Amino acid sequence: MGPTDEGTPQGGPLSPILSNLVLDDLDRELEQRGHRFVRYADDCNIYVRSRRAGERVMTGIGRYLTTKLKLKVNESKSAVARPWERKFLGFSFTMHREPKRRVAPKALGRFKERVRELTCRTKSVSLGQMVKALGSYLLGWRGYFAFCETPSVLQDLDSWVRRRLRCVVWKQWKHSRVRFAELRKRGVSKGLAAQSAGSGQGPWRLSRSPALSYALPNGYFDLLGLPKLAARPAV
């Protein structure tokens, strides 16, 4: 990557400030036209009553940006669509009569991708170290997304994270003999421990098994300091 001769790096701290300076005129124009809108830096959503109105507004505002402000509109990221089909700063809306704020599908996908990276089973780190690194990410993610209005999504993610960690532990135990001993040490009955340790099922399926749920309950991860996404941060 070569040196930057003009503009600002994407995602840099100066970019939102410059965007606000340049697009302040856009805000005034939208207010003057009576539109309902929300904008952060160069990301802007305008809300109208119909697709026809949306197409008309998009054409008019696009012309204003290119002719008045001398800016280039990113056509690939611009569209006229229902609110629940679009995202804004990682959020979207549900299709209810009274829409609720939800985490956008792409943001959920990025979350799972990052958790997979932090819990990669090939890493030679202890579970405690893994939970510590994972916890820092979860706290930051929760601080941003916990105020969504669909808490069941956060609860599902909590379950998914714990299931992912059970997979990690199962892989770390490696051999059937070790798995049997570890399950027995954690109070799993002899028969169930033997059945699970000798199972040919993969780690992901076994992570929901009665044996692993008993041996590695939610409280076990609580003691390790694993944050819960469904718990709202203090305000």
Side-chain angles (χ1 to χ4, degrees):
M1 181 179 295
T4 301
D5 298 322
E6 61 181 14
T8 59
Q10 184 174 4
L14 188 59
S15 182
I17 298 176
L18 294 178
S19 295
N20 285 335
L21 291 173
V22 173
L23 295 175
D24 182 65
D25 288 340
L26 173 63
D27 294 345
R28 296 178 186 276
E29 180 69 18
L30 292 173
E31 290 172 352
Q32 185 176 343
R33 297 187 186 191
H35 292 315
R36 294 184 177 184
F37 68 97
V38 58
R39 182 183 67 79
Y40 177 82
D42 61 348
D43 195 356
C44 181
N45 282 7
I46 304 172
Y47 300 99
V48 295
R49 293 184 178 276
S50 67
R51 174 172 290 275
R52 184 177 179 181
E55 292 172 349
R56 183 177 65 252
V57 169
M58 184 172 178
T59 300
I61 294 301
R63 186 183 305 115
Y64 173 82
L65 289 170
T66 55
T67 59
K68 296 291 185 180
L69 300 185
K70 309 301 181 182
L71 298 174
K72 183 179 180 180
V73 178
N74 190 329
E75 300 290 346
S76 64
K77 293 185 178 181
S78 303
V80 176
R82 299 289 188 180
W84 52 84
E85 296 173 350
R86 303 295 290 173
K87 65 180 181 66
F88 181 74
L89 302 180
F91 286 94
S92 185
F93 294 99
T94 65
M95 296 175 61
H96 296 107
R97 184 177 180 84
E98 295 184 5
K100 294 184 178 181
R101 188 171 58 251
R102 68 184 178 102
V103 183
K106 286 187 177 180
L108 293 175
R110 287 194 297 269
F111 170 85
K112 289 190 174 183
E113 181 179 350
R114 181 56 179 154
V115 170
R116 289 188 184 100
E117 292 174 357
L118 292 170
T119 59
C120 182
R121 294 192 291 260
T122 59
K123 291 182 178 180
S124 57
V125 298
S126 68
L127 182 64
Q129 292 173 313
M130 190 177 292
V131 168
K132 184 177 180 181
L134 179 60
S136 297
Y137 174 71
L138 294 181
L139 286 174
W141 197 91
R142 186 182 74 183
Y144 186 82
F145 286 107
F147 294 98
C148 71
E149 297 173 310
T150 52
S152 62
V153 174
L154 302 182
Q155 294 167 1
D156 290 343
L157 288 179
D158 277 331
S159 298
W160 182 84
V161 170
R162 291 191 293 265
R163 188 177 176 186
R164 175 76 184 174
L165 289 173
R166 291 187 182 103
C167 281
V168 171
V169 175
W170 192 247
K171 292 289 289 186
Q172 287 180 342
W173 289 345
K174 292 185 179 180
H175 304 295
S176 298
R177 182 182 60 183
V178 176
R179 291 170 175 173
F180 175 79
E182 291 291 344
L183 290 175
R184 290 289 291 143
K185 185 167 64 177
R186 287 165 171 76
V188 178
S189 67
K190 186 175 180 179
L192 184 57
Q195 179 184 357
S196 302
S199 174
Q201 294 181 344
W204 184 246
R205 291 193 64 182
L206 282 170
S207 63
R208 296 186 64 181
S209 67
L212 275 180
S213 297
Y214 186 89
L216 302 171
N218 296 344
Y220 173 76
F221 298 111
D222 293 341
L223 291 175
L224 288 177
L226 182 69
K228 285 188 173 67
L229 298 175
R232 285 185 177 273
V235 294

